[in-house]
Amino acid sequence: MTDNWTGMADNWTSAASPWVMIAGGFHQRGGMDKANAALAQYLAERGTPVHLVAHRIDPLILKHPLVTAHLVPRPLKSFLLGELCLEWYGRATAMRVTSRWPNARVLVNGGNCKWNDLNWVHFVHHAWENRDRRAPAWFSMKDRLTRFLAKRRERNALNHARIVLANSERTRNDLIAHFKLDPRRVFNVYLGSDSFSKAVTPRERVLARDWLGIPERRPLVVFIGALGHDQRKGFDVLWSAWRRLCESSSWDAELVVAGDGGGLARWKTLVEKSPFAGRVRLLGFTERVPDLLAAADLLVSPVRYEAYGLNVQEAICRGVPAMVSACAGIAERYPQDLLEMVLPDAEDVGDLVTRMLRWRSKMDQWKISFAPLALTLRNHTWNDMAREIVSVVEHEGLAGEPSCFAVSTETA
């Protein structure tokens, strides 16, 4: 473990009480990690000293003079052992900081650490039951143990939290329902958007299409998400729908899939053996998601559970229409005129086929229809999100304050 407490804490000149943030990561490679990084950066830039306890922290954040890093390894590269180490080191750091600064704030993520202050929930384990029927037996056994421990830790941590932050009304409602939390201490703050999440320029689209080798006039559908054994992201549903679509000579789109996971090898084999292999490309993990979105005409996310859906938000911000399951938190931000792009039942392959055909019949119109929502989402930045979180914490949910501080996308 790397701890530069001594080298930095004594040099702080800020009069503000510090924050301790305990999370898996503070970087740009994952949804919740990106959100955690945004809050940490906001706090440091406004003059608040921050202790970050994590497995990975972006080097740019580490350079800030008000940031103290506590890097925690994953023994034997085990996520479970890593989580246990994260909790132990997080609690130790929180105790050291609060003993010196009694007014310090401690923020944890879900069940990763028990502490009686702030809990920012990005995923509710109690709200999702795995569907891993085709997974290897060893994975199923391991996954059941991991989920049992995760749910127990989640309940324990949330029952001790004083303020709970959610990333959508869907998540907020799940937290209240599953843990019987007082609604007055559960707040929804929507995730922010990047400053570079702008509409794709014609030049960007040309370069992105050249990278993928896709002609300009060929419609491109993209899927961005982990290809895990648990099928949470719903790629199996999209694959079934895609096979039906490709059986029609009128369907002219191509599919590009970005995402890694335990199920990637199996999906590659299935795609290669199908008669539609030339219409599907699996990229695996890629850092070129912005380029992929620049080339895309539609993002499809038929998730079975999604607390929010940052991939959908990023697509819309780039000007790409997105089809998403109603169970995803991001779906609640769709106005009435976009509900045709919301899937009522994530399991309904036939409905997905019908909606994708409707999209194709007026593809250009859908880009125009999504423009107002794109503007709304782009205007709610990561700094706005962080400012709202700090406002919730500093006011501690005073009576009369609304439970949602996010920008509304409701339309008349």
Side-chain angles (χ1 to χ4, degrees), residues 3 8 13 26 41 78 85 124 131 156 168 176 204 210 228 245 279 304 336 339 365 380 382 386 396:
D3 186 349
M8 298 191 69
T13 58
F26 297 86
Q41 288 177 305
S78 166
C85 287
V124 183
R131 305 188 181 199
N156 199 17
S168 67
I176 294 169
E204 285 180 299
D210 286 346
L245 288 165
R279 308 279 295 277
R304 292 183 170 93
Q336 187 69 31
L339 292 186
Q365 181 59 44
H380 185 243
W382 286 117
E396 297 184 299

Side-chain angles (χ1 to χ4, degrees), residues 220-225 233-235 237-239 241-242 245 251 253-258 293 296-303 306 311-312 315 320-325 334 341 343 346 351-353 355-357 359:
L220 177 62
V221 178
V222 300
F223 173 94
I224 301 173
K233 297 293 187 176
F235 180 68
V237 176
L238 175 56
W239 174 242
W242 192 258
L245 288 165
W251 182 251
E254 291 191 23
L255 173 64
V256 175
V257 179
L293 292 176
D297 295 301
L298 174 71
L299 179 136
V300 180
S301 183
V303 293
E306 192 77 276
N311 61 328
V312 175
V320 180
M323 194 172 292
V324 64
S325 302
Y334 277 47
M341 299 289 274
L343 307 170
D351 181 58
L352 177 56
V353 169
R355 291 173 189 269
M356 290 180 72
L357 288 171
W359 160 79

Side-chain angles (χ1 to χ4, degrees), residues 29 33 116 125 137 173 322 385 396 402:
R29 295 186 66 177
D33 300 318
N116 60 343
H125 290 278
N173 292 335
M385 176 208 71
E396 297 184 299

Side-chain angles (χ1 to χ4, degrees), residues 35 38 120 189-192 380-389:
W120 191 8
V189 178
Y190 286 124
L191 300 184
H380 185 243
T381 67
W382 286 117
N383 271 355
D384 293 329
M385 176 208 71
R387 190 180 301 112
E388 290 160 8
I389 289 175

Side-chain angles (χ1 to χ4, degrees), residues 135-391:
W138 65 266
F139 174 86
S140 296
M141 294 178 62
K142 175 186 174 184
D143 187 62
R144 279 159 177 71
L145 173 61
T146 301
R147 282 185 50 74
F148 170 78
L149 294 175
K151 291 171 76 171
R152 187 172 70 175
R153 295 177 67 207
E154 180 178 68
R155 182 175 295 280
N156 199 17
L158 286 166
N159 285 340
H160 282 81
R162 187 165 59 83
I163 293 177
V164 179
L165 300 163
N167 55 16
S168 67
E169 281 299 323
R170 187 251 150 94
T171 301
R172 181 175 183 269
N173 292 335
D174 282 340
L175 291 168
I176 294 169
H178 286 284
F179 306 105
K180 310 302 180 186
L181 300 180
D182 183 346
R184 293 173 298 179
R185 65 185 182 96
V186 185
F187 299 85
N188 169 29
V189 178
Y190 286 124
L191 300 184
S193 65
D194 295 302
S195 58
F196 57 81
S197 293
K198 301 176 181 178
V200 176
T201 66
R203 176 63 175 166
E204 285 180 299
R205 182 174 172 87
V206 168
L207 292 175
R209 290 255 166 170
D210 286 346
W211 163 55
L212 292 169
I214 297 176
E216 169 57 30
R217 300 181 68 85
R218 178 63 60 86
L220 177 62
V221 178
V222 300
F223 173 94
I224 301 173
L227 299 176
H229 290 301
D230 64 358
Q231 307 293 353
R232 181 171 68 87
K233 297 293 187 176
F235 180 68
D236 58 320
V237 176
L238 175 56
W239 174 242
S240 296
W242 192 258
R243 293 177 64 183
R244 290 192 197 179
L245 288 165
C246 288
E247 289 173 354
S248 171
S249 58
S250 64
W251 182 251
D252 58 349
E254 291 191 23
L255 173 64
V256 175
V257 179
D260 204 349
L264 178 59
R266 184 177 75 87
W267 281 117
K268 282 186 174 181
T269 300
L270 286 174
V271 169
E272 290 169 0
K273 291 182 177 180
S274 77
F276 317 114
R279 308 279 295 277
V280 183
R281 195 180 319 175
L282 278 69
L283 299 179
F285 172 77
T286 177
E287 294 185 345
R288 300 190 65 174
V289 170
D291 294 328
L292 179 57
L293 292 176
D297 295 301
L298 174 71
L299 179 136
V300 180
S301 183
V303 293
R304 292 183 170 93
Y305 168 75
E306 192 77 276
Y308 187 65
L310 194 58
N311 61 328
V312 175
Q313 174 166 295
E314 290 176 343
I316 296 172
C317 286
R318 294 288 277 160
V320 180
M323 194 172 292
V324 64
S325 302
C327 64
I330 184 71
E332 68 199 40
R333 307 193 73 177
Y334 277 47
Q336 187 69 31
D337 63 329
L338 296 182
L339 292 186
E340 188 176 331
M341 299 289 274
V342 176
L343 307 170
D345 182 359
E347 304 289 347
D348 194 336
V349 174
D351 181 58
L352 177 56
V353 169
T354 299
R355 291 173 189 269
M356 290 180 72
L357 288 171
R358 289 176 183 166
W359 160 79
R360 180 63 186 94
S361 68
K362 50 180 181 177
M363 190 172 72
D364 293 335
Q365 181 59 44
W366 277 116
K367 289 186 178 181
I368 298 172
S369 298
F370 267 86
L373 178 58
L375 181 61
T376 297
L377 297 178
R378 282 197 295 265
N379 286 340
H380 185 243
T381 67
W382 286 117
N383 271 355
D384 293 329
M385 176 208 71
R387 190 180 301 112
E388 290 160 8
I389 289 175
V390 172
S391 177

